[in-house]
Amino acid sequence: MKVIQLHQSEKKIIQKACAKDRNAQRKLYEKHAPKMNSVCRYYVKDIHEAEDVMMMAFFKAFKNLKTYTNDGNFEGWLRKIMVNECISFHRKKKTIDIVDTFDSAVEVSDNTIHVDYNVAALQKIINQLPEGYKMVFVLFAVEGYSHKEIALQLNISVNTSKSQLHKARKMLQQKVNELNSSNYGTQ
Amino acid sequence: MEPNKIDNIVKQKLEKRSVLPKENTWNRLEMLLDEEEQETKKGGYIKYAIAASVILFLGIFFFMNQNAKDEQPQIIVDAPIIKEDAPTVISTSSNEKTPKDTLAEQEEKIVVKPEKAVATIRSSNRKHVYKKKQLLVVNENPKGVNNNVTGSFKEVSIEKNTLAVKVSIVKNKTLDNEVDSLLALAENELVQSKQIKKYKNIDANANALLINVEQELDLTFKDKMFKKLKNGLQKTRTAVNNRNK
């Protein structure tokens, strides 16, 4: 019952926000901003830049709120806008450097992986990855995009997407192993 | 492809995270939204203004078109009448009594009056002079007759004086009236000549045009529009055919 009520209340807030009610827009922002800021942080290293990207994404979302049909999940819709804004941010900055090579021999075994760090440490490891690797890895592993979708989003081939994912995983594993060996990881 | 273990771990860890943005981020966003709203409002006003001006323009265009349609047949029908009437304008002025014409008539009368008076005076003078001469010749005539003659002379002189005064007054009036009437006539002639020149080049059958106008009056707006479109299409078709030739 509570879930339905919450859903209905959000629906009302969205309708009000659609009618450019500033309070309703603020409510939506306050509800989703922390999560969306975290999403932007996956793709953008700098925390300030990530915030700027999130703000612009919110602005675009409020501007095009009429296109949102209430049948879907609002958070999912907002998240897609965030991801697209992050990608366009990297495109503008020309920071995505994706080399079109596919090495099928490189396979990552996940038996040895032991990731038990806090999120900050994990984010630090992810930030160390090259932009191309990071983008493909986050889009695939966290957002759940297929290689086809990633290829379309980043204007690359499916094979390139696959190779980037493999390389990202390999590098991530290496970084984790390095941290494990130096006992840097903390609870 | 099955999800990798590292993928799952990273996903779980990252999904739980939430990063609070700075407090001023909402203010910045609000400013952006306000700016955008103002721009859209401005854009909206401009759109409305453009739409209103277009509607106004179209309205004026249709109104003018309609007026031209209404006026055209009248002018064309009147054109031959003007031609026929042109020479008779001056002559008919006495038959049709418009204010201007009555004025002109009065003027004519006024103009004529002194002439007649002068003529009568002259003729009477001549007669009296002749009579005087006769009287001088026949000097032995009775006095009564002579008295009558002198009396008549006196009357004539009084009449002469009064007429002269009258004529001078009338002459002053007539001069002004004459000038006005002449100006009015000249203006009429100019207007007529202009109208004739304007419609001289148009070769039109008055009857055919009348029938056409009557037909157009019977048509509804929808029919008119369709007819216009049809005519336009035919014109373009012929133009294209001519060009291709």
Side-chain angles (χ1 to χ4, degrees), chain A residues 96-102 132-133 156 159-161 163-164 167:
Chain A
I96 310 169
D97 184 29
I98 297 167
V99 185
D100 194 7
T101 51
F102 179 65
Y133 291 6
I156 53 170
N159 283 340
T160 309
S161 172
S163 79
Q164 295 287 308
K167 283 172 185 174

Side-chain angles (χ1 to χ4, degrees), chain A residues 89-129:
Chain A
F89 167 79
H90 281 295
R91 270 204 197 120
K92 275 178 198 166
K93 280 198 131 189
K94 292 176 182 175
T95 45
I96 310 169
D97 184 29
I98 297 167
V99 185
D100 194 7
T101 51
F102 179 65
D103 188 5
S104 57
V106 180
E107 277 296 326
V108 183
S109 60
D110 57 353
N111 299 328
T112 53
I113 293 170
H114 177 69
V115 185
D116 202 13
Y117 310 112
N118 62 25
V119 187
L122 195 66
Q123 184 68 55
K124 209 174 177 182
I125 293 166
I126 290 166
N127 285 346
Q128 284 171 1
L129 293 173

Side-chain angles (χ1 to χ4, degrees), chain A residues 16-146:
Chain A
K16 281 182 183 175
C18 202
K20 290 174 182 174
D21 182 339
R22 197 64 81 237
N23 283 328
Q25 285 175 341
R26 184 164 193 165
K27 275 179 188 172
L28 280 175
Y29 169 82
E30 279 172 353
K31 190 186 174 187
H32 296 284
K35 186 80 213 147
M36 295 306 136
N37 201 17
S38 169
V39 170
C40 292
R41 282 281 288 124
Y42 303 161
Y43 304 91
V44 184
K45 272 184 200 172
D46 187 69
I47 193 161
H48 303 294
E49 281 181 335
E51 258 187 36
D52 286 346
V53 171
M54 181 205 69
M55 190 189 73
M56 280 311 293
F58 261 109
F59 173 66
K60 284 180 183 174
F62 287 141
K63 207 176 158 184
N64 301 298
L65 206 56
K66 282 176 188 173
T67 58
Y68 169 69
T69 46
N70 280 308
D71 46 327
N73 179 17
F74 181 70
E75 198 185 303
W77 181 77
L78 205 60
R79 201 182 173 118
K80 267 193 177 179
I81 293 169
M82 295 291 157
V83 171
N84 286 339
E85 192 61 29
C86 289
I87 291 166
S88 64
F89 167 79
H90 281 295
R91 270 204 197 120
K92 275 178 198 166
K93 280 198 131 189
K94 292 176 182 175
T95 45
I96 310 169
D97 184 29
I98 297 167
V99 185
D100 194 7
T101 51
F102 179 65
D103 188 5
S104 57
V106 180
E107 277 296 326
V108 183
S109 60
D110 57 353
N111 299 328
T112 53
I113 293 170
H114 177 69
V115 185
D116 202 13
Y117 310 112
N118 62 25
V119 187
L122 195 66
Q123 184 68 55
K124 209 174 177 182
I125 293 166
I126 290 166
N127 285 346
Q128 284 171 1
L129 293 173
E131 289 298 337
Y133 291 6
K134 190 172 78 180
M135 293 287 283
V136 174
F137 176 76
V138 175
L139 283 171
F140 185 86
V142 183
E143 303 297 338
Y145 281 46
S146 67

Side-chain angles (χ1 to χ4, degrees), chain B residues 76-77 80 204-214:
Chain B
I76 292 159
V77 169
N205 188 359
N207 287 328
L209 282 162
L210 261 170
I211 291 158
N212 199 16
V213 168
E214 276 169 5

Side-chain angles (χ1 to χ4, degrees), chain B residues 113-142:
Chain B
K113 259 185 181 176
E115 281 173 11
K116 277 180 182 175
V118 170
T120 50
I121 290 158
R122 277 173 189 166
S123 62
S124 63
N125 277 348
R126 273 175 197 168
K127 277 176 187 175
H128 286 293
V129 168
Y130 179 70
K131 274 180 181 175
K132 208 179 176 181
K133 275 176 185 176
Q134 274 186 332
L135 283 166
L136 284 167
V137 172
V138 189
N139 209 6
E140 292 167 11
N141 276 347

Side-chain angles (χ1 to χ4, degrees), chain A residues 22 35 52 79 123 169, chain B residues 7 15 17 28 34:
Chain A
R22 197 64 81 237
K35 186 80 213 147
D52 286 346
R79 201 182 173 118
Q123 184 68 55
R169 276 177 182 159
Chain B
D7 294 2
E15 283 291 308
R17 183 182 68 173
R28 282 160 63 204
D34 286 340

